[in-house]
Amino acid sequence: MAQPVARAATISAQGISVPRWWKWALPAAGSVAALCAGTLGWYHLVQKHWAIQTAFGESMQPTFAPGSRFLFERFSWRHSVPLFQRRLKQGDVVAFRSPLNAKDMYLKRVAAMEGDWVDGAKVPPGHIYVLGDNLDKSRDSRIYGCVPINLVEYRAVVRVWPWPKWAYDPQRIASSGK
């Protein structure tokens, strides 16, 4: 009965010499490649679906002081899979592009959803009505009207700064600033 020829013996019989370190280098290279691919995938996920932004201005005082930082997400309310889907609702804090200048980003609280009535007018389909918490110093829907939902970029999830006042829920974000 003939002995099976080992793969290494076949390679050396063909005149190709393989260094010994290849035995551990090839699996290590595969691990490094998997780590790099995973890191790039995670980076893409974080860049596309999450952001940490800083609040500027006085429109959300006293709830949020200028310089407060938030973790925002866009995945859950834009996703079509029911397991991950979470609709925007009244009381959510959102970051959106200004209807007047798309380069400006505003941070406001959703005061009314489509179909709700505000000051005798109905919020049209595909729009939200937003207000700043500091009504005297806020440029909001009272000035530029209802905001198209497609201008909303992110929903605030967690306030991460100032340090001791973390808030894990949009409903608790408002109460944590007092």
Side-chain angles (χ1 to χ4, degrees):
M1 183 177 211
Q3 292 287 334
V5 178
R7 181 114 173 107
T10 305
I11 291 174
S12 358
Q14 295 173 354
I16 301 172
S17 63
V18 177
R20 279 193 211 177
W21 55 267
W22 273 38
K23 288 183 180 182
W24 60 266
L26 288 177
S31 298
V32 169
L35 180 64
C36 289
T39 302
L40 289 174
W42 177 253
Y43 179 76
H44 173 73
L45 179 69
V46 168
Q47 290 294 348
K48 189 171 175 100
H49 299 294
W50 299 91
I52 293 181
Q53 299 289 336
T54 304
F56 295 101
E58 300 173 315
S59 69
M60 293 300 286
Q61 282 185 336
T63 310
F64 310 129
S68 295
R69 292 196 178 137
F70 302 90
L71 175 66
F72 288 95
E73 64 92 21
R74 76 165 72 178
F75 183 73
S76 70
W77 68 272
R78 287 184 180 225
H79 206 276
S80 59
V81 177
L83 176 64
F84 297 110
Q85 196 171 28
R86 182 200 178 278
R87 298 272 184 222
L88 289 178
K89 62 183 179 186
Q90 188 174 357
D92 282 348
V93 176
V94 294
F96 61 94
R97 300 249 172 236
S98 167
L100 306 176
N101 182 359
K103 293 180 182 177
D104 292 339
M105 202 66 141
Y106 290 147
L107 178 69
K108 305 290 180 205
R109 188 176 305 281
V110 176
M113 300 297 294
E114 62 182 34
D116 292 346
W117 289 85
V118 179
D119 297 331
K122 192 173 186 179
V123 178
H127 289 72
I128 56 175
Y129 191 87
V130 296
L131 293 172
D133 290 352
N134 187 350
L135 295 178
D136 293 335
K137 297 187 178 186
S138 179
R139 294 186 60 156
D140 47 37
S141 287
R142 297 170 299 158
I143 294 172
Y144 44 74
C146 295
V147 176
I149 197 81
N150 64 347
L151 293 180
V152 176
E153 294 285 331
Y154 297 102
R155 178 181 65 89
V157 178
V158 178
R159 181 171 69 181
V160 296
W161 188 261
W163 170 250
K165 296 181 179 178
W166 286 62
Y168 292 96
D169 178 304
Q171 298 302 321
R172 291 188 350 197
I173 287 177
S175 63
S176 68
K178 296 178 181 173

